[in-house]
């Protein structure tokens, strides 16, 4: 296969297709995308407090706190004293949040599998090899404007 004239644009278009498939699986949930993103962030970073969450989201702390208020009101988040410093408050996803994120991950994987099933097995394997190589290359490459923290699972934007 020859390299497309604009290889990066072709990858970007494929990524948009993948995002559309993933978003369609997430759209069945009543939890807004930003709140899902918060849950994913704090699940992957157990020591997160409101100030750190605000940094990760690139918002002011009061906005992050309001997001946490909404998640706490729906039973998806708890604020607990940090055992190392009782003046700090950690954000902890509840069992319901873990269940929600697990269900969402399963739906997303099933949605991707439906698309993969339309591809010949050889192309599926080639795609996997290429994506793994891309992931390894991305880990060693610092992209301009990339945050120092790796992005949370791109379940939401």
């Amino acid at each position: 296969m020859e390299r497309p004239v604009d290889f990066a644009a072709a990858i970007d278009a494929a990524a948009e297709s993948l995002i559309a498939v993933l978003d369609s699986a997430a759209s069945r949930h009543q939890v807004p995308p930003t709140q899902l993103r918060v849950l994913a962030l704090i699940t992957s970073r157990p020591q997160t407090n409101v100030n750190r969450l605000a940094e990760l989201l690139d918002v002011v702390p009061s906005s992050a706190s309001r997001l946490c208020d909404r998640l706490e009101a729906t039973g998806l988040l708890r604020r607990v004293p940090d055992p190392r410093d009782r003046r700090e408050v950690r954000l902890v996803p509840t069992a319901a949040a873990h269940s929600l994120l697990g269900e969402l991950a399963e739906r997303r994987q099933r949605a991707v599998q439906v698309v993969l099933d339309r591809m010949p097995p050889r192309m599926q394997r080639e795609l996997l090899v290429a994506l793994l190589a891309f992931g390894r290359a991305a880990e060693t490459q610092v992209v301009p404007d990339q945050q120092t923290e790796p992005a949370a699972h791109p379940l939401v934007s």
Side-chain angles (χ1 to χ4, degrees):
M1 172 184 261
E2 282 197 36
R3 184 177 172 149
V5 175
D6 192 344
F7 197 58
I11 297 292
D12 186 52
E16 287 296 326
S17 296
L18 177 59
I19 290 168
V21 169
L22 297 174
D23 285 349
S24 72
S27 68
R28 297 182 192 128
H29 289 286
Q30 300 295 14
V31 179
T34 302
Q35 291 181 23
L36 287 172
R37 181 170 182 226
V38 167
L39 291 175
L41 284 168
I42 63 172
T43 298
S44 66
R45 294 166 181 84
Q47 305 303 319
T48 303
N49 62 22
V50 171
N51 287 333
R52 180 66 180 130
L53 178 63
E55 290 172 9
L56 292 168
L57 295 173
D58 196 25
V59 298
V60 295
S62 60
S63 294
S65 184
R66 284 191 298 275
L67 274 168
C68 292
D69 291 343
R70 289 190 288 275
L71 286 165
E72 199 168 26
T74 59
L76 295 172
L77 177 75
R78 288 184 307 119
R79 290 178 167 112
V80 298
D82 189 321
R84 296 172 298 159
D85 182 352
R86 309 271 303 155
R87 294 172 296 175
E88 289 289 325
V89 175
R90 284 191 356 208
L91 304 173
V92 179
T94 64
H98 287 288
S99 177
L100 173 70
L101 292 174
E103 178 187 326
L104 179 58
E106 287 175 20
R107 283 184 181 196
R108 289 165 49 102
Q109 289 169 14
R110 282 194 306 267
V112 169
Q113 189 61 55
V114 167
V115 175
L116 288 171
D117 289 344
R118 295 183 202 137
M119 297 171 59
R122 183 181 62 80
M123 295 299 291
Q124 290 180 35
R125 286 188 297 278
E126 289 176 9
L127 176 61
L128 177 60
V129 169
L131 289 173
L132 291 172
F134 185 89
R136 284 190 300 274
E139 289 173 1
T140 60
Q141 175 74 26
V142 177
V143 178
D145 297 332
Q146 182 178 3
Q147 295 178 358
T148 55
E149 285 285 329
H153 195 293
L155 26 118
V156 291
S157 52

